[in-house]
């Protein structure tokens, strides 16, 4: 006799169906593991590759000076921080890093978060809430978008870089407080936000402006503060976010601004209040990196000059590099299948360039994302250009 009530399927059985769907759509992603340190040459699954996929723009992730600073701090401070910052997870290296970050960025104060993701999500949700409005560029990083959603403010997404549309939206809004949030250097397109215009629009409407300099800190501007410095508007942007985990080669994120902004975040940014402070050793490594950024401007200069040359070479070959103006150079191909095939073909030639597909980029905008670092040699870049020419 058959059971009139067969047991229900396993509660997670739907996941396998969904994974099959992702596979079919060419969107299923798999982890591989790098062997050895991050750098311009890496080994993956026994295969030696020239690496054009990292955010280690200044070649600091494996710099022995960062490792030495981290080891020394681990020796004196121990490894784990053991608690959230407010409950004494914050140690002397964290405080010193915040002091140095404020000095580096030319602001009253700075606050270090466990990651850039936490800094963005925490800051946005701390600045607006129900009854407020937040205006977000269509191509903003996921952490900003998640911050918008978490805030429970009214979220308006404006077309990429479209400050005129933003101006119209701000004119019409009846919200109590308004926040405009944007990447300064967009992580997939490698283009810059029109910060001069955005600053003017925000000032006109009395809106708060938050910019995320994750890919620009250490790279753009005469002192490496980011795109706002490069465009001469850094002191007109009230909330600036950055990360310690990309050009600075360490881990963590930060917000810089006025003393009262920082004090507000200490009290209300939930990822700050409810998450354990990062190890003191990562703060010590970031301090060492800031010193290198100050003393070795040639790293960012070399990087941006090399990027300009590469963009020109690729355009000459007929590739579409979109509106890239930075060390991030996308090859826009549109179709997911083509992007994945190109990435595989490059890998067979010993060159790693990741294919970027939805949902990281909008549907129909799949690309290969080349990221340059100052640790790449001219020969490595020539190898990449030659491999692309052959495809
Ligand atoms: C990587 C990234 C972040 C997050 O920084 P992490 O320190 O890696 O968490 C934030 N914003 C942008 C634009 C990013 O690309």
């Amino acid at each position: 006799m058959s059971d009139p009530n067969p047991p229900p399927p396993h509660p997670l059985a739907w996941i396998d169906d969904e994974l099959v769907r992702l596979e079919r759509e060419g969107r299923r992603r798999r982890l591989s593991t790098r062997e050895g340190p991050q750098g311009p040459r890496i080994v993956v699954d026994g295969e030696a590759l020239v690496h054009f996929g990292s955010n280690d723009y200044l070649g600091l992730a494996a710099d022995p000076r960062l490792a030495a600073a981290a080891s020394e701090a681990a020796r004196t401070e121990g490894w784990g921080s053991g608690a959230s910052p407010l409950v004494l997870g914050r140690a002397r290296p964290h405080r010193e890093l915040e002091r140095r970050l404020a000095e580096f960025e030319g602001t009253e104060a700075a606050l270090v978060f466990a990651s850039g993701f936490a800094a963005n999500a925490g800051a946005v949700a701390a600045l607006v809430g129900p009854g407020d409005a937040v205006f977000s560029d269509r191509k903003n990083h996921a952490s900003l978008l998640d911050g918008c959603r978490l805030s429970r403010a009214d979220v308006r997404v404006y077309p990429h870089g479209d400050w005129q549309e933003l101006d119209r939206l701000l004119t019409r809004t009846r919200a109590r407080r308004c926040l405009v949030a944007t990447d300064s250097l967009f992580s997939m397109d490698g283009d810059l936000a029109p910060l001069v215009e955005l600053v003017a629009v925000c000032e006109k409407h009395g809106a708060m402006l938050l910019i995320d300099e994750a890919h620009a800190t250490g790279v753009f501007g005469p002192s490496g503060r980011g795109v706002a410095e490069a465009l001469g508007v850094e002191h007109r942007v009230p909330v600036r976010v950055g990360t310690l985990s990309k050009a600075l080669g360490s881990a963590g994120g930060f917000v810089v601004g006025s003393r009262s902004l920082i004090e507000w975040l200490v009290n209300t940014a939930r990822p700050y209040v409810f998450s354990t402070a990062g190890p003191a050793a990562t703060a010590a490594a970031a301090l060492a990196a800031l010193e290198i950024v100050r003393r070795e401007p040639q790293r960012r200069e070399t990087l941006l000059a090399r990027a300009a040359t590469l963009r020109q070479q690729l355009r000459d070959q007929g590739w579409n590099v979109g509106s890239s103006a930075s060390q991030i150079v996308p090859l826009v191909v549109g179709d997911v299948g083509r992007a994945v095939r190109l990435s595989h073909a490059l890998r067979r030639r010993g060159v790693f360039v990741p294919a970027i597909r939805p949902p990281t980029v909008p549907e129909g905008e799949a690309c290969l994302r080349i990221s340059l670092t100052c640790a790449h040699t001219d020969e490595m870049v020539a190898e990449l250009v030659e491999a692309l020419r052959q495809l």
Side-chain angles (χ1 to χ4, degrees):
M1 217 176 78
S2 67
D3 184 350
N5 294 313
H10 187 277
L12 296 184
W14 63 271
I15 290 179
D16 294 318
D17 301 338
E18 288 295 309
L19 287 172
V20 167
R21 182 179 62 79
L22 287 179
E23 182 82 51
R24 209 172 44 233
E25 293 170 1
R27 288 165 56 161
R28 182 163 177 179
R29 304 168 66 168
R30 289 189 169 79
L31 289 164
S32 2
T33 307
R34 192 190 69 233
E35 292 150 36
Q38 184 64 273
R41 283 190 194 281
I42 53 166
V43 176
V44 182
D45 302 330
E47 202 183 348
L49 297 168
V50 185
H51 187 15
F52 290 100
S54 87
N55 303 316
D56 181 24
Y57 302 124
L58 298 182
L60 297 181
D63 190 293
R65 290 169 288 184
L66 272 65
S71 315
E72 175 61 17
R75 206 175 56 71
T76 57
E77 310 287 331
W79 185 260
S81 72
S84 66
L86 281 166
V87 194
L88 300 178
R90 182 170 180 263
R92 218 178 300 192
H94 298 102
R95 187 184 65 191
E96 179 59 12
L97 175 58
E98 286 167 352
R99 197 186 62 73
R100 283 284 296 118
L101 276 170
E103 196 175 273
F104 172 70
E105 297 278 358
T107 56
E108 282 178 9
L111 192 65
V112 171
F113 285 69
S115 72
F117 198 114
N120 268 334
V124 171
L127 292 172
V128 281
D132 300 331
V134 54
F135 301 81
S136 173
D137 187 287
R138 186 175 76 91
K139 295 205 170 173
N140 273 349
H141 189 258
S143 53
L144 284 177
L145 193 56
D146 284 6
C148 292
R149 291 174 177 150
L150 286 169
S151 74
R152 292 184 292 146
D154 186 17
V155 183
R156 310 276 173 78
V157 175
Y158 62 89
H160 183 49
D162 192 345
W163 54 272
Q164 289 159 309
E165 177 60 16
L166 175 67
D167 186 20
R168 281 188 283 276
L169 290 171
L170 280 166
T171 305
R172 284 203 298 266
T173 184
R174 311 266 291 277
R176 177 182 62 153
R177 277 201 293 267
C178 295
L179 172 69
V180 174
T182 183
D183 290 14
S184 67
L185 167 47
F186 288 88
S187 48
M188 295 302 140
D189 296 63
D191 61 336
L192 310 182
L195 293 183
V196 174
E197 292 80 3
L198 289 174
V199 161
V201 167
C202 288
E203 286 174 351
K204 172 178 158 193
H205 294 281
M208 299 177 280
L209 175 62
L210 177 156
I211 68 170
D212 174 11
E213 299 258 31
H215 294 275
T217 301
V219 175
F220 273 79
S223 359
R225 292 169 177 175
V227 177
E229 185 194 22
L231 298 179
V233 292
E234 62 196 300
H235 298 300
R236 292 165 67 194
V237 179
V239 190
R240 283 187 281 144
V241 181
T243 180
L244 305 169
S245 31
K246 288 173 178 160
L248 296 179
S250 184
F254 64 88
V255 178
V256 292
S258 69
R259 210 165 274 122
S260 54
L261 167 72
I262 298 308
E263 200 156 324
W264 178 247
L265 296 178
V266 166
N267 281 276
T268 59
R270 292 167 63 87
Y272 189 79
V273 176
F274 295 105
S275 187
T276 300
T282 64
L287 273 165
L290 279 176
E291 190 54 23
I292 297 171
V293 166
R294 195 173 67 78
R295 289 188 185 209
E296 300 176 10
Q298 65 274 18
R299 286 176 182 265
R300 56 183 174 272
E301 291 158 9
T302 304
L303 174 62
L304 291 180
R306 179 172 290 145
T309 307
L310 176 66
R311 288 195 302 271
Q312 194 50 52
Q313 287 172 314
L314 295 174
R315 281 200 198 95
D316 292 346
Q317 281 186 9
W319 294 96
N320 174 8
V321 298
S323 39
S324 165
S326 70
Q327 76 279 14
I328 300 168
V329 184
L331 299 179
V332 185
V333 300
D335 177 61
V336 173
R338 175 146 186 258
V340 172
R341 280 193 303 279
L342 283 170
S343 176
H344 286 160
L346 285 171
R347 187 153 172 173
R348 282 194 296 277
R349 288 166 170 80
V351 176
F352 178 75
V353 180
I356 309 292
R357 46 197 128 174
T360 309
V361 291
E363 215 60 61
E365 292 183 27
C367 65
L368 293 185
R369 178 183 182 271
I370 301 167
S371 64
L372 283 180
T373 76
C374 73
H376 289 116
T377 61
D378 290 340
E379 291 70 35
M380 292 175 189
V381 179
E383 220 176 298
L384 166 69
V385 172
E386 178 54 23
L388 281 167
R389 197 186 58 76
Q390 290 174 8
L391 292 180

